[in-house]
């Protein structure tokens, strides 16, 4: 994972565990729509992490911007995030959490 997003063990060493921050995260996402590009992976990580810590998982509404892009721009040459961003003239850094 370090090669993908650049976070190292040192970056996470003194940070709280998921069960410590989950109440704040849950409050933030409560009654919200979670939107991500190819969001299936992220949704699985969220659910499986909560299961690991034996935390209740609230009902979630999750939408995938990749699937939406396929419906809106069917003629694009691929619907990956880079292609959609290029089509929308957006610049971003892949796998940067702050992006």
């Amino acid at each position: 994972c370090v090669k993908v997003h650049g976070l190292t063990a040192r970056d996470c060493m003194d940070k709280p565990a998921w069960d410590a921050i989950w109440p704040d995260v849950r409050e933030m996402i409560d009654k919200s729509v979670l939107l991500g590009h190819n969001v299936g992976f992220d949704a699985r990580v969220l659910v499986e992490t909560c299961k690991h810590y034996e935390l209740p998982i609230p009902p979630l509404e999750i939408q995938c911007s990749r699937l939406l892009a396929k419906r809106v721009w069917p003629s694009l040459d691929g619907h990956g995030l880079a292609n959609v961003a290029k089509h929308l003239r957006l610049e971003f850094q892949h796998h940067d959490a702050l992006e």
Side-chain angles (χ1 to χ4, degrees), residues 7 26 37 54 78 89:
L7 292 174
R26 184 175 175 171
H37 202 78
E54 299 178 348
R89 297 184 180 133

Side-chain angles (χ1 to χ4, degrees), residues 12-23:
C12 303
M13 208 162 50
D14 298 327
K15 304 302 184 254
W18 181 249
D19 57 345
I21 65 168
W22 174 240

Side-chain angles (χ1 to χ4, degrees), residues 12-76:
C12 303
M13 208 162 50
D14 298 327
K15 304 302 184 254
W18 181 249
D19 57 345
I21 65 168
W22 174 240
D24 291 334
V25 173
R26 184 175 175 171
E27 185 177 319
M28 262 192 321
I29 66 174
D30 188 41
K31 298 179 182 147
S32 297
V33 176
L34 301 181
L35 177 68
H37 202 78
N38 211 10
V39 75
F41 172 81
D42 302 288
R44 281 190 303 277
V45 169
L46 175 65
V47 168
E48 293 303 318
T49 302
C50 286
K51 283 181 183 178
H52 173 80
Y53 284 98
E54 299 178 348
L55 298 168
I57 303 163
L60 299 170
E61 182 177 347
I62 299 171
Q63 295 292 327
C64 181
S65 56
R66 182 180 168 278
L67 296 177
L68 294 171
K70 284 178 79 168
R71 288 186 211 137
V72 174
W73 302 294
S75 61
L76 274 185

Side-chain angles (χ1 to χ4, degrees), residues 36-38 65-66 78-88 90 92-95:
H37 202 78
N38 211 10
S65 56
R66 182 180 168 278
H79 295 87
L81 190 55
N83 281 345
V84 173
K86 182 179 177 183
H87 177 72
L88 295 172
L90 299 173
F92 72 102
Q93 183 66 39
H94 261 93
H95 300 289

